Amino acid sequence: MATVDTDFNYETIKIEREEGGITWLILNRPDKRNAMSPQLHADCDDALYRLATDAKTRVLILTGAGDAYCAGQDLRLFFRGTDNAPRQRFEAAQNSHSWRWSRLSKFPKTTIAMVNGFCFGGAFTHLIGCDLAIAADEAVFGLSEVNWGIIPGGVVSWNVTQVMNQRDAMYYSMTGDPFDGKVAAKIGLVNSSVPKSELREETLKLARKMAEKNTATVRFTKEGIRMVRDMTEAQAADYLAAKSDALRFHDTEGGREVAMRQFLDEKVFRPGLGNYIREDSAGQKSAAKG
Ligand code: ACO
């Protein structure tokens, strides 16, 4: 049962807490299908900055209140509202890019997008900014920019080419055709889709699995996967070697050594089948994870 965290008090978003280190960031303009206003960008930017080092957060789930995930940029407030206000446009654009891409794609804990409904245009950036994504079968996605005379800007075009193949990226951005959660899963835009009635539980199941993992290892793994895409093989090999060494410095659980001892000497777990058994500083084992 999630509870609202009143220390995180915002006009356009809600922060809720679930047991086990799971935090919800909920876009909360349901009457406007969670379209992104300048205020929402400022709220999300601040919240993600704070949550990055929040000790209570091991996994972050991003979703929308009501029937929509996010209907893209708010055409009235983000576009028309700042057309003749360069300072406000600049500030909104900075915040918009900062939280949807810079902060989310570098967020130091697992991030999951739970696509509960409409997901259009600029919402693709934070969808793809999240590490993992689950959609309702009934969700409606669309690169609708072409329908009203603009291109998938910000960095949407760049985002979609990272997860969609060239034909799908071309097709959906050129036609603006909407598609559902099942198609989104089939083309790899989300990891999976489930009936809307099962969406929350399915997402929480994934979040709980990730919350049980060694957070330093998860962080270095996701950073590695994102970074090596644009490297040569030689750069990737060197980067990953340095990254592996850095993980041993950052991992206060000493997971690598604990896991090796438990597998090779104590024979109490199978790395291929699940997590090693957490130990406290005195070496006492807690419940098996994984
Ligand atoms: N910007 C501003 N207001 C919006 C947006 C948006 N992107 N999306 C929805 N709203 C508002 C509507 O204007 C309406 O406001 P009102 O009640 O004050 O009139 C309210 O949200 C509800 O919208 P409806 O259209 O009545 O809701 P419906 O459920 O019938 O349709 C849908 C939802 C399909 C999402 C529709 O609102 C829509 O097409 N929205 C625009 C989607 C889009 O193309 N987004 C922009 C992508 S491009 C970009 O992000 C750069």
Side-chain angles (χ1 to χ4, degrees):
M1 180 61 186
T3 51
V4 176
D5 189 333
T6 49
D7 286 344
F8 285 76
N9 194 14
Y10 294 103
E11 205 179 301
T12 64
I13 62 174
K14 272 190 297 185
I15 302 298
E16 292 186 0
R17 305 290 193 172
E18 200 85 36
E19 279 193 5
I22 298 164
T23 299
W24 293 90
L25 194 166
I26 303 168
L27 307 181
N28 193 27
R29 301 182 72 221
D31 294 349
K32 303 294 180 192
R33 307 299 182 259
N34 304 316
M36 297 179 285
S37 62
Q39 184 62 49
L40 183 139
H41 289 310
D43 288 350
C44 284
D45 199 47
D46 190 68
L48 285 178
Y49 181 77
R50 293 171 64 195
L51 289 170
T53 54
D54 171 52
K56 287 190 245 166
T57 301
R58 293 175 72 85
V59 175
L60 182 79
I61 307 175
L62 176 62
T63 194
D67 291 335
Y69 172 70
C70 174
Q73 296 289 7
D74 189 308
L75 305 185
R76 187 184 304 282
L77 299 176
F78 184 84
F79 285 108
R80 188 187 278 171
T82 62
D83 269 349
N84 299 310
R87 196 188 61 76
Q88 284 87 342
R89 167 65 63 87
F90 181 77
E91 189 176 295
Q94 292 282 316
N95 286 336
S96 170
H97 182 72
S98 172
W99 82 267
R100 287 181 309 147
W101 190 252
S102 304
R103 292 207 195 289
L104 257 186
S105 67
K106 295 188 185 73
F107 198 75
K109 295 87 179 277
T110 301
T111 52
I112 305 173
M114 184 178 93
V115 186
N116 51 312
F118 297 120
C119 175
F120 288 107
F124 277 58
T125 295
H126 53 76
L127 167 64
I128 295 165
C130 288
D131 307 318
L132 304 167
I134 305 186
D137 291 341
E138 301 89 332
V140 179
F141 295 79
L143 290 162
S144 55
E145 287 89 337
V146 71
N147 294 342
W148 61 284
I150 66 165
I151 62 167
V155 286
V156 171
S157 294
W158 182 73
N159 295 138
V160 296
T161 59
Q162 292 184 315
V163 292
M164 287 158 81
N165 69 41
Q166 185 77 355
R167 289 279 178 230
D168 289 329
M170 284 290 186
Y171 182 85
Y172 288 111
S173 57
M174 289 171 71
T175 63
D177 279 1
F179 54 95
D180 66 17
K182 288 183 186 172
V183 171
K186 193 165 145 235
I187 65 177
L189 179 60
V190 299
N191 294 98
S192 59
S193 80
V194 293
K196 193 167 180 183
S197 56
E198 297 166 24
L199 181 63
R200 188 181 170 89
E201 200 37 54
E202 198 61 24
T203 308
L204 281 172
K205 208 163 97 188
L206 177 60
R208 288 187 198 107
K209 178 186 346 204
M210 294 312 300
E212 286 176 350
K213 295 204 176 283
N214 177 319
T215 46
T217 310
V218 168
R219 174 181 177 178
F220 277 57
T221 299
K222 61 182 248 182
E223 289 173 354
I225 292 287
R226 281 204 194 264
M227 292 301 290
V228 297
R229 282 181 69 88
D230 299 322
M231 292 182 188
T232 63
E233 178 271 335
Q235 288 167 335
D238 192 53
Y239 165 86
L240 292 170
K243 199 81 182 160
S244 301
D245 289 346
L247 173 58
R248 293 178 74 179
F249 176 76
H250 279 272
D251 180 10
T252 51
E253 287 183 19
R256 181 179 181 277
E257 280 66 38
V258 173
M260 246 186 295
R261 169 168 47 75
Q262 290 182 2
F263 179 56
L264 299 176
D265 306 329
E266 300 169 4
K267 301 185 188 303
V268 290
F269 102 112
R270 298 279 180 276
L273 304 179
N275 294 338
Y276 65 85
I277 302 161
R278 285 271 159 64
E279 297 177 352
D280 64 21
S281 50
Q284 295 299 306
K285 294 178 176 54
S286 60
K289 312 279 186 186

